[in-house]
Amino acid sequence: DVKVTQSSRYLVKRTGEKVFLECVQDMDHENMFWYRQDPGLGLRLIYFSYDVKMKEKGDIPEGYSVSREKKERFSLILESASTNQTSMYLCASRSSSGSNYNEQFFGPGTRLTVL
Amino acid sequence: SQQGEEDPQALSIQEGENATMNCSYKTSINNLQWYRQNSGRGLVHLILIRSNEREKHSGRLRVTLDTSKKSSSLLITASRAADTASYFCATDGWTGRRALTFGSGTRLQVQP
């Protein structure tokens, strides 16, 4: 089974802090994604990566950056956390080939609160 | 911007009843997928329907797709309390962007 893990389930940070959210997948997937989920807004794409060291902006990249130094790991960075970044953050991965390459596999999520 | 919009936003039914959720989208798609999310958890893939398909079944799930209306529906038959969750449609476009575009979800409550 594909497993996507996220470093924390719950995180509380203060305004202005630098925050790192880590995501690791164990199925050698080329593509990895960071979404944020807010009530009534569904999932919105922040950034994605289709290869090591490659990244592309999603729909709401402002205030975020990402890092992908290894294939299995995709990090989301909040350079200076703000209260409007309080949200649930979901990481996902997806293969580029194979029978189920269309499917995205999600981690359990990190609920971040910025005070 | 949100591609998919689910309807209704919330649905409450009794165990054994059928649950129908609808999804509308705006641009042309390669496929449409439905995901389930238990409270406070990550999403789990349920079923995929390709743009050239009209209907697909998987166990108690039935998905339809009408590309002329840019809409899809998910039917869960003989619902169970364990089906209580949020359900999201997600579209996979032809743009080459490998990310899905998700709707805002339908929250389903199945009363035992």
Side-chain angles (χ1 to χ4, degrees):
Chain A
D1 277 355
V2 175
K3 193 165 184 182
V4 180
T5 57
Q6 295 183 229
S7 50
S8 306
R9 289 299 315 279
Y10 300 94
L11 209 52
V12 180
K13 295 292 181 180
R14 296 216 173 266
T15 302
E17 280 192 77
K18 190 168 186 176
V19 182
F20 293 87
L21 302 182
E22 305 284 340
C23 175
V24 177
Q25 50 94 5
D26 67 358
M27 281 301 289
D28 202 37
H29 285 171
E30 294 82 4
N31 308 288
M32 296 187 75
F33 311 88
W34 275 107
Y35 295 89
R36 66 176 281 177
Q37 182 179 20
D38 300 288
L41 296 177
L43 278 73
R44 293 179 291 168
L45 181 68
I46 305 171
Y47 266 98
F48 66 102
S49 169
Y50 53 89
D51 201 353
V52 176
K53 297 192 186 295
M54 305 302 289
K55 61 185 179 184
E56 287 201 26
K57 293 180 180 179
D59 300 317
I60 51 163
E62 297 78 18
Y64 303 94
S65 63
V66 290
S67 171
R68 191 155 181 214
E69 297 296 318
K70 293 185 178 181
K71 192 175 185 180
E72 67 271 18
R73 188 180 298 269
F74 192 35
S75 302
L76 180 69
I77 303 154
L78 287 66
E79 296 290 341
S80 177
S82 64
T83 55
N84 63 12
Q85 291 178 311
T86 291
S87 186
M88 169 73 102
Y89 290 87
L90 292 162
C91 174
S93 71
R94 173 181 180 175
S95 175
S96 289
S97 61
S99 59
N100 62 352
Y101 78 96
N102 291 294
E103 179 181 344
Q104 286 193 5
F105 295 86
F106 282 83
T110 295
R111 188 166 292 281
L112 172 67
T113 301
V114 182
L115 302 175
Chain B
S1 63
Q2 288 298 306
Q3 164 79 312
E5 295 295 332
E6 281 92 339
D7 168 50
Q9 291 187 341
L11 181 61
S12 182
I13 59 174
Q14 296 295 126
E15 216 168 17
E17 293 180 341
N18 295 342
T20 300
M21 289 159 267
N22 303 297
C23 168
S24 60
Y25 58 91
K26 297 174 184 173
T27 61
S28 62
I29 60 170
N30 179 17
N31 64 73
L32 185 144
Q33 303 176 35
W34 285 89
Y35 286 77
R36 166 195 169 123
Q37 183 182 36
N38 284 39
S39 181
R41 296 283 178 173
L43 279 72
V44 176
H45 182 263
L46 292 176
I47 193 167
L48 177 152
I49 187 165
R50 301 187 188 283
S51 60
N52 61 353
E53 296 175 315
R54 291 297 166 257
E55 188 170 312
K56 201 159 183 182
H57 296 255
S58 176
R60 292 185 297 114
L61 304 179
R62 173 179 165 248
V63 171
T64 62
L65 179 65
D66 186 337
T67 53
S68 66
K69 295 181 179 178
K70 291 187 169 58
S71 67
S72 173
S73 67
L74 171 68
L75 169 68
I76 304 174
T77 60
S79 62
R80 306 165 182 167
D83 294 329
T84 294
S86 292
Y87 293 82
F88 295 86
C89 70
T91 53
D92 194 355
W94 292 101
T95 62
R97 189 174 95 156
R98 298 175 181 91
L100 300 174
T101 304
F102 286 83
S104 51
T106 292
R107 185 169 181 82
L108 174 65
Q109 177 80 37
V110 181
Q111 308 284 355

PDB file of all heavy atoms in Angstrom, chain A residues 14-25:
ATOM      1  N   ARG A  14       3.427  30.703  16.273  1.00  0.00           N
ATOM      2  CA  ARG A  14       3.129  32.122  16.495  1.00  0.00           C
ATOM      3  C   ARG A  14       3.362  32.903  15.217  1.00  0.00           C
ATOM      4  O   ARG A  14       4.174  32.524  14.368  1.00  0.00           O
ATOM      5  CB  ARG A  14       4.016  32.660  17.605  1.00  0.00           C
ATOM      6  CG  ARG A  14       3.741  31.981  18.946  1.00  0.00           C
ATOM      7  CD  ARG A  14       3.884  32.960  20.115  1.00  0.00           C
ATOM      8  NE  ARG A  14       3.447  32.320  21.350  1.00  0.00           N
ATOM      9  CZ  ARG A  14       2.220  32.421  21.822  1.00  0.00           C
ATOM     10  NH1 ARG A  14       1.308  33.119  21.169  1.00  0.00           N
ATOM     11  NH2 ARG A  14       1.887  31.834  22.948  1.00  0.00           N
ATOM     12  N   THR A  15       2.638  33.976  15.086  1.00  0.00           N
ATOM     13  CA  THR A  15       2.788  34.883  13.944  1.00  0.00           C
ATOM     14  C   THR A  15       4.243  35.278  13.776  1.00  0.00           C
ATOM     15  O   THR A  15       4.920  35.619  14.755  1.00  0.00           O
ATOM     16  CB  THR A  15       1.935  36.144  14.161  1.00  0.00           C
ATOM     17  OG1 THR A  15       0.571  35.766  14.336  1.00  0.00           O
ATOM     18  CG2 THR A  15       2.035  37.076  12.962  1.00  0.00           C
ATOM     19  N   GLY A  16       4.709  35.181  12.531  1.00  0.00           N
ATOM     20  CA  GLY A  16       6.083  35.556  12.216  1.00  0.00           C
ATOM     21  C   GLY A  16       7.072  34.408  12.258  1.00  0.00           C
ATOM     22  O   GLY A  16       8.193  34.547  11.762  1.00  0.00           O
ATOM     23  N   GLU A  17       6.685  33.292  12.822  1.00  0.00           N
ATOM     24  CA  GLU A  17       7.588  32.149  12.878  1.00  0.00           C
ATOM     25  C   GLU A  17       7.752  31.517  11.499  1.00  0.00           C
ATOM     26  O   GLU A  17       6.860  31.579  10.657  1.00  0.00           O
ATOM     27  CB  GLU A  17       7.048  31.080  13.833  1.00  0.00           C
ATOM     28  CG  GLU A  17       7.301  31.343  15.287  1.00  0.00           C
ATOM     29  CD  GLU A  17       7.015  30.111  16.148  1.00  0.00           C
ATOM     30  OE1 GLU A  17       7.857  29.187  16.155  1.00  0.00           O
ATOM     31  OE2 GLU A  17       5.959  30.081  16.795  1.00  0.00           O
ATOM     32  N   LYS A  18       8.874  30.883  11.279  1.00  0.00           N
ATOM     33  CA  LYS A  18       9.100  30.095  10.077  1.00  0.00           C
ATOM     34  C   LYS A  18       8.636  28.674  10.383  1.00  0.00           C
ATOM     35  O   LYS A  18       9.029  28.090  11.392  1.00  0.00           O
ATOM     36  CB  LYS A  18      10.571  30.122   9.689  1.00  0.00           C
ATOM     37  CG  LYS A  18      10.855  29.533   8.313  1.00  0.00           C
ATOM     38  CD  LYS A  18      12.293  29.857   7.868  1.00  0.00           C
ATOM     39  CE  LYS A  18      12.543  29.416   6.440  1.00  0.00           C
ATOM     40  NZ  LYS A  18      13.885  29.802   5.956  1.00  0.00           N
ATOM     41  N   VAL A  19       7.798  28.130   9.506  1.00  0.00           N
ATOM     42  CA  VAL A  19       7.188  26.834   9.760  1.00  0.00           C
ATOM     43  C   VAL A  19       7.537  25.867   8.637  1.00  0.00           C
ATOM     44  O   VAL A  19       7.467  26.225   7.455  1.00  0.00           O
ATOM     45  CB  VAL A  19       5.651  26.965   9.862  1.00  0.00           C
ATOM     46  CG1 VAL A  19       5.026  25.614  10.176  1.00  0.00           C
ATOM     47  CG2 VAL A  19       5.267  27.996  10.925  1.00  0.00           C
ATOM     48  N   PHE A  20       7.906  24.670   9.016  1.00  0.00           N
ATOM     49  CA  PHE A  20       8.222  23.618   8.053  1.00  0.00           C
ATOM     50  C   PHE A  20       7.219  22.478   8.207  1.00  0.00           C
ATOM     51  O   PHE A  20       7.058  21.935   9.291  1.00  0.00           O
ATOM     52  CB  PHE A  20       9.631  23.064   8.293  1.00  0.00           C
ATOM     53  CG  PHE A  20      10.731  24.034   8.019  1.00  0.00           C
ATOM     54  CD1 PHE A  20      11.161  24.917   8.999  1.00  0.00           C
ATOM     55  CD2 PHE A  20      11.351  24.069   6.780  1.00  0.00           C
ATOM     56  CE1 PHE A  20      12.185  25.818   8.750  1.00  0.00           C
ATOM     57  CE2 PHE A  20      12.384  24.961   6.518  1.00  0.00           C
ATOM     58  CZ  PHE A  20      12.792  25.841   7.505  1.00  0.00           C
ATOM     59  N   LEU A  21       6.575  22.123   7.117  1.00  0.00           N
ATOM     60  CA  LEU A  21       5.717  20.949   7.100  1.00  0.00           C
ATOM     61  C   LEU A  21       6.364  19.929   6.165  1.00  0.00           C
ATOM     62  O   LEU A  21       6.670  20.241   5.013  1.00  0.00           O
ATOM     63  CB  LEU A  21       4.313  21.301   6.596  1.00  0.00           C
ATOM     64  CG  LEU A  21       3.556  22.380   7.380  1.00  0.00           C
ATOM     65  CD1 LEU A  21       2.173  22.580   6.792  1.00  0.00           C
ATOM     66  CD2 LEU A  21       3.468  22.038   8.850  1.00  0.00           C
ATOM     67  N   GLU A  22       6.558  18.724   6.702  1.00  0.00           N
ATOM     68  CA  GLU A  22       7.258  17.699   5.938  1.00  0.00           C
ATOM     69  C   GLU A  22       6.297  16.613   5.474  1.00  0.00           C
ATOM     70  O   GLU A  22       5.381  16.226   6.193  1.00  0.00           O
ATOM     71  CB  GLU A  22       8.348  17.060   6.809  1.00  0.00           C
ATOM     72  CG  GLU A  22       9.332  18.024   7.423  1.00  0.00           C
ATOM     73  CD  GLU A  22      10.346  18.524   6.437  1.00  0.00           C
ATOM     74  OE1 GLU A  22      10.538  17.856   5.382  1.00  0.00           O
ATOM     75  OE2 GLU A  22      10.946  19.580   6.685  1.00  0.00           O
ATOM     76  N   CYS A  23       6.576  16.105   4.296  1.00  0.00           N
ATOM     77  CA  CYS A  23       5.769  15.026   3.727  1.00  0.00           C
ATOM     78  C   CYS A  23       6.700  13.995   3.100  1.00  0.00           C
ATOM     79  O   CYS A  23       7.622  14.369   2.360  1.00  0.00           O
ATOM     80  CB  CYS A  23       4.825  15.595   2.679  1.00  0.00           C
ATOM     81  SG  CYS A  23       3.849  14.352   1.794  1.00  0.00           S
ATOM     82  N   VAL A  24       6.434  12.735   3.388  1.00  0.00           N
ATOM     83  CA  VAL A  24       7.256  11.660   2.841  1.00  0.00           C
ATOM     84  C   VAL A  24       6.345  10.597   2.257  1.00  0.00           C
ATOM     85  O   VAL A  24       5.358  10.206   2.883  1.00  0.00           O
ATOM     86  CB  VAL A  24       8.153  11.034   3.932  1.00  0.00           C
ATOM     87  CG1 VAL A  24       8.953   9.864   3.357  1.00  0.00           C
ATOM     88  CG2 VAL A  24       9.091  12.069   4.515  1.00  0.00           C
ATOM     89  N   GLN A  25       6.671  10.133   1.040  1.00  0.00           N
ATOM     90  CA  GLN A  25       5.929   9.026   0.428  1.00  0.00           C
ATOM     91  C   GLN A  25       6.893   7.889   0.112  1.00  0.00           C
ATOM     92  O   GLN A  25       8.060   8.111  -0.192  1.00  0.00           O
ATOM     93  CB  GLN A  25       5.169   9.493  -0.820  1.00  0.00           C
ATOM     94  CG  GLN A  25       5.982  10.268  -1.836  1.00  0.00           C
ATOM     95  CD  GLN A  25       6.581   9.450  -2.945  1.00  0.00           C
ATOM     96  OE1 GLN A  25       6.338   8.244  -3.073  1.00  0.00           O
ATOM     97  NE2 GLN A  25       7.383  10.106  -3.788  1.00  0.00           N
TER      98      GLN A  25
END
